[in-house]
Amino acid sequence: MKVFKFLISYLELMKYIAKVDVSLKSGHINSEGETIEHLLKELGYQVEKTDVSKVYTILLQAPSAVEAKVKAQEISERLLANPAKDNYIINVVEAVDQ
Amino acid sequence: MSSNLYMQSAKVDNVLEVALARATPVELVEISNKLALGLSLDEMKTVQAYFKSENRNPSDVELQTISQTWSEHCCHKTFKGNILFDGKEINSLFKTYIAKVTKEINAPWCFNVFEDNAGIVKFDKGFGIAAKVETHNHPSAVDPFGGAANGIGGVVRDILGVWADPIACTGVSCFGPLNFDYNKLFLGVKHPRYLYRNIAAGLSFYSNNLGVPIVNGATCFDESYTGNVVACCGCFGLLPLDKYLKNAKAGDYIVMAGGKTGRDGIHGVTFASAELTKKSEETSNPAVQTSDPIAEEKLKRAIIIIRDLQLASAITDLGGGGLSSAVGETAERYHCGATVELSKVPVKYSGLAPWEIYISESQERQLFAVPPEHLDAALAVFKQEEVEATAIGQLTSERRLKIKYQTVTVADVDMTFLFNIIASTKQATLSPPMLTEPELAEPADLTNTLIQLLGMPNIASKESVAQTYDYEVKGNTVLKPFQGKYAGPNDAAVLKPLHNSWKGLAISCGINPNYGKIDPYWMAASSIDEAIRNNIAVGGRRIALLDNFIWGNPEKPERLGSLVRACQACYDIAKAYRTPFISGKDSLYNESPMGPVTPTLIITALGIVPDIRSTISMNLKTPENLLYLLGNTYPELGGSEYYKLNGHIGLSVPKLQPHRARKNYYNLTKAIGYGMVKSCHDLSDGGLAVAAAEMAFASNIGLTLDLKAIPNKTITRNDFLLFSESNSRLLIEVSPKDRSDFEALMKNGCTLIGETTKTEKLQIHGLHNNIIIDAPLTKLRDAWKKTLAEA
Amino acid sequence: MKTKDIKVCIIRAAGTSCDAETARAFQELGVQTEIKHINELVTNSNLLNYNLLVLPGGCTFGDHVRPGAVFAKYLNKKLGKQITQYTDENRPILGISNGFQTLIEYGLLPGFNDNNQQPEITLTTNIPNGFKCQWVYLKNENKGNCSFTNQLPKDKILKMPIAHSEGRLLLHAEKEKQLLQKLADNDMIVLRYCNRDGTPANQTYPINPNGTYHDIAGICNKEGTILGLMPHPERAMHWWQEPDWTDKTHTTPYSDGKLIFENIINNITTKQ
């Protein structure tokens, strides 16, 4: 394990964008979604369900997309999502310099 | 695995019949575990015998109902059970100490105590004040934001549950050190900093959305809270006493109103009564409840209208145990039985088993008893306020609880059996702490020590949190959490609840977790004294108390022994001060793999300010006034912040002489009434030096003090005089023109120890005539404000 | 019109919380005040029966989507015709905190263009981020257009509390200068955060508590009949609500918030 860490420190770090989408697990009522759903119906839109989630866009450095995802996963579990009530989906793409 | 113990009911889906009659003791325990009933073998045997006498097996709905009704959270087994301590048997801690002192004081202004969802005291012009404080520790450990939010939501519903309109909330929370090493955290335990931010955010979110101000509170830090976070929420409400209707009778409809029912908090009750383990986070998932303050706001409006129109004969909140507790307790209180049709309960999603509907703890729901002639009118009120309300059953004259699902009976239990809770007997012991008094050298630079103390997390300014609460909403906040141009900490909040009366309400609290490590008796005594003197300091009188015990597992004799001692202190001190307890709640089993919580008693005090125009704030008012110290200083540094700064606990915990203190408080109250007191501040964490600094830097008025003036026979060290945390002490600013009147009034209780100055400095002269503290106020203030400003 | 004949309607919805103290402030001044749930107004009331409409503080509909957005859409859907008629007659509306947010979301403020559904101004998240309850100083910068402040001396300093998490006025980025000019030209800037002595906050925190553009705390429409402000005048009605009243030896019976309520009532008594 130590050897492995030693090796990757020599690898070139790349920039990745991790998008973390945090939403309530099923079984929890999303009151924001419900409020919007009622209003949309009142305004004449025939919608079936409205859910709200929060997307965090994190620019980070990692040796590979897999490593970036692992990092984002750690961030999600430690701070962004509470596994007791939240689901989260991580999407990692390589950051393109503009 | 004896799976043949459970059979699907032939009559209705999702109901199990449990073959209790032929179950062996081993199987009884297995059933209790499998269905998460949390019942002991003895209790299971009692249940078995009951259903044998009924000649049938119970359904899971029945077992779950019994489990909820008998749970620690609902019936307070520990406080109401028997305890063997010190060779004596105590029959109910609650009756022997807490309720007893209230009964003996027999205050005519206590309107309703201990019986209902909240305690009620008389106020003014036919109005009463309802008060309740609850902890929401275990849910907050798993989901701090939601747990704290629901803490507010739940305690507000308790206030609504006595027909009172919530006017203010309080929040006390305790955390592990914010700089706790992340790598030393046990699996499943959240970092103190994460908890600190999210609990504050949850309290702020819910109270701000609901429009109820959080006006008072405390934040404490101690290692023992790392695995056992404390989130304690209080609420105060105003009610016209003639509208306090509680006269339900057989035939009245049981109406449920508010949010829909889901799987939220299933077994939250049994969860709260079991130690937190690393698995809690995964397995107790449903214990997390979503919160919707706007739903509660709508419910609140409907309740107040229904109260004013007198359309309901009883109300109670749906808290721990959900419908099962609310229906059972309502029926029991009015000596009725009840029938309930569970399929009428509005649900969030399909697939809920009947037992889940019955014990769900979904938030923002309330239960009413409505006489048949008022049913339509009551439902119309709910409709206008956009609150879903349904009649789900009726109270009956037959003393049985009958629950149906889609017209099939799924439970039919005798009420007397259900509420005949067997008193358990527990062992309690208490051994002296393994602590010694440290030998410290007196620091050469005491100014620096004071600066360090001001930055200690327990002392440092909590303004950054207080400002995230809308403490001004409702426009009744007379004395705010922070005072003066530079925001010093007020001792209590004062509210003016009635437009046509000058009478005010003073709300304060007391908490001393560190003393609990040395002696639970003096910890409890100190917390009571702190809450009372905070209240006295702003001009409060006729004080009522609320207790919240936060303890470890009471099955362990040592923990229970310390609980007994704390209860004894509650009796002794409240008796001496003549301050009755009006409501209380215990949160036991605060243990995690990281250890038990330090015994903590949170006391909330509710005082009356006869005229808010005489309210006293803590900041110094003008230079060249006199500063008096009320009370005596002893070498009591055990558990002090000063010892903590030096890495010690010590043994010399602050004690209390309540009879002497009561006389001092009485005289101080008189002096406030005569308008002699310009400012007043209590001495607590950090002792004299910290209190003096806070008073001075709050308005940038200087202060010189002389330690030689302090009457004391035993202390020969400057640091001990500066930082001792002896109880019952306050600093009082008096104008020189009132000197002789004030001194005559205070008799020997007060000593002149210094005066206010124009210098914008704190200067303290030591025992040997030298200046031992000399600091610009800005420097002291910065140290005090810095620690938690960005936390 | 006599003061006692003036009828004020405080409109509430799910999540309104400052209705009672706002009503109390108006009642103190001797006008008739009613608190009406939007549902009540839809079924059996006419807004044209009232001389002043007030949208009080709170968190209507949980501040979902954007604070005030849901309430504004409901108001428009359910009472839109009456509101148009009411404002066409240049009758006054006051929006406090969440009420201000609602007026902006409705398009009544700044009200530059009736047909424009895309707001050019918004109230958004505070900088620094988060809910903040504190007392602030405000300067009346209006030159006489606003019927809620026209009797106050220009540059009068008022002290009131704020309590919000989204009170930062933000103008459409590309038209910032142009929009500010338009607000100034039409005398629509009413209150700006300032120091105790009245010097401008100049975007310094916490004098400007939320990072609002140009220190703006309150604006009115071109006609001066509709005022929205983030601070809470109803919480600064009485002397004992002030944070430093215990420091004073002499107090006046009322506080600065009263001036705003009094001002509009005086205007109604003379105009109508």
Side-chain angles (χ1 to χ4, degrees), chain B residues 215-216 477 479-481 490-495 505-508 535 538:
Chain B
V215 294
N216 183 261
T477 318
L479 200 63
K480 317 183 195 281
N490 267 328
D491 292 325
V494 176
L495 300 171
L505 189 67
I507 300 168
S508 59
N535 217 290
V538 301

Side-chain angles (χ1 to χ4, degrees), chain A residues 24-25 27-29 31 78-79 81-85, chain B residues 142-144 182 190 194 281 285 288 290 292 348-349:
Chain A
L24 277 176
K25 279 183 179 168
H28 294 294
I29 283 205
S31 69
R78 194 161 156 182
L79 181 69
N82 187 333
K85 66 177 171 63
Chain B
V142 179
D143 172 17
Y182 197 88
K190 294 189 163 53
Y194 178 86
E281 195 170 295
N285 215 344
V288 175
T290 43
D292 184 354
K348 289 182 179 176
Y349 32 77

Side-chain angles (χ1 to χ4, degrees), chain C residues 54 62 96 106 111 120 130 134 139 146 170 178 181 210-211 225 233 235 239 250 268:
Chain C
V54 183
I96 302 168
Y106 196 105
E120 290 174 319
Q134 74 173 72
K139 197 175 193 177
C146 178
L170 189 73
Q178 186 194 337
Q181 195 59 48
N210 51 26
T225 51
R235 301 181 187 181
W239 58 267
H250 299 288
I268 298 169

Side-chain angles (χ1 to χ4, degrees), chain B residues 204 208-211 294 297-298 301 305 383-386 466-480 482-485 496-497 499 502 612-617 619-621 678 699, chain C residues 12-19 21 24 28 35 37-40 58-64 78 131-135 161-163 196 205 232 234-235 238-248:
Chain B
S204 146
N208 294 348
N209 272 268
L210 195 58
I294 301 304
E297 199 273 338
K298 294 192 281 185
R301 299 271 184 176
I305 298 172
K383 193 171 176 219
Q384 193 223 286
E385 294 297 327
E386 298 166 346
Q467 282 189 331
T468 68
Y469 308 143
D470 190 353
Y471 56 81
E472 294 284 5
V473 63
K474 291 189 182 293
N476 295 332
T477 318
V478 174
L479 200 63
K480 317 183 195 281
F482 288 86
Q483 188 67 40
K485 196 174 169 192
K496 182 182 174 298
H499 188 46
W502 287 110
I612 57 112
R613 288 170 288 194
S614 62
T615 302
I616 305 297
S617 55
N619 60 324
L620 293 178
K621 297 300 181 297
K678 300 298 167 221
S699 42
Chain C
R12 73 175 172 97
T16 298
S17 49
C18 307
D19 49 324
E21 54 269 41
R24 192 176 75 189
E28 183 81 14
I35 299 170
H37 193 284
I38 178 172
N39 290 351
E40 281 179 272
C59 299
T60 47
F61 300 92
D63 283 350
H64 293 325
K78 295 188 171 186
F131 187 93
K132 186 98 195 227
C133 178
Q134 74 173 72
W135 282 72
I162 54 149
R196 189 188 282 248
Y205 177 82
H232 288 270
E234 79 282 11
R235 301 181 187 181
H238 303 278
W239 58 267
W240 50 264
Q241 292 173 316
E242 289 180 22
D244 54 354
W245 72 265
T246 53
D247 294 354
K248 294 179 182 169

Side-chain angles (χ1 to χ4, degrees), chain A residues 54 79 85, chain B residues 140 143-152 173 175 192-210 214 219 231 233 291 293 464-470 791, chain C residues 129-131 165:
Chain A
K54 215 169 180 178
L79 181 69
K85 66 177 171 63
Chain B
S140 301
D143 172 17
F145 182 89
N150 288 326
I152 294 282
S173 30
F175 309 93
R193 196 172 285 273
Y194 178 86
L195 294 168
Y196 175 79
R197 283 190 181 167
N198 281 284
I199 284 181
L203 295 176
S204 146
F205 161 74
Y206 207 99
S207 62
N208 294 348
N209 272 268
L210 195 58
I214 294 186
T219 308
C233 307
S291 57
S464 59
V465 171
Q467 282 189 331
T468 68
Y469 308 143
D470 190 353
Chain C
N129 186 26
F131 187 93
S165 48

Side-chain angles (χ1 to χ4, degrees), chain B residues 379-397:
Chain B
L379 294 178
V381 171
F382 286 119
K383 193 171 176 219
Q384 193 223 286
E385 294 297 327
E386 298 166 346
V387 176
E388 191 166 8
T390 327
I392 58 162
Q394 264 183 306
L395 294 174
T396 59
S397 51

Side-chain angles (χ1 to χ4, degrees), chain A residues 77-91:
Chain A
E77 294 199 352
R78 194 161 156 182
L79 181 69
L80 306 179
N82 187 333
K85 66 177 171 63
D86 298 323
N87 277 326
Y88 62 91
I89 303 165
I90 299 171
N91 194 358

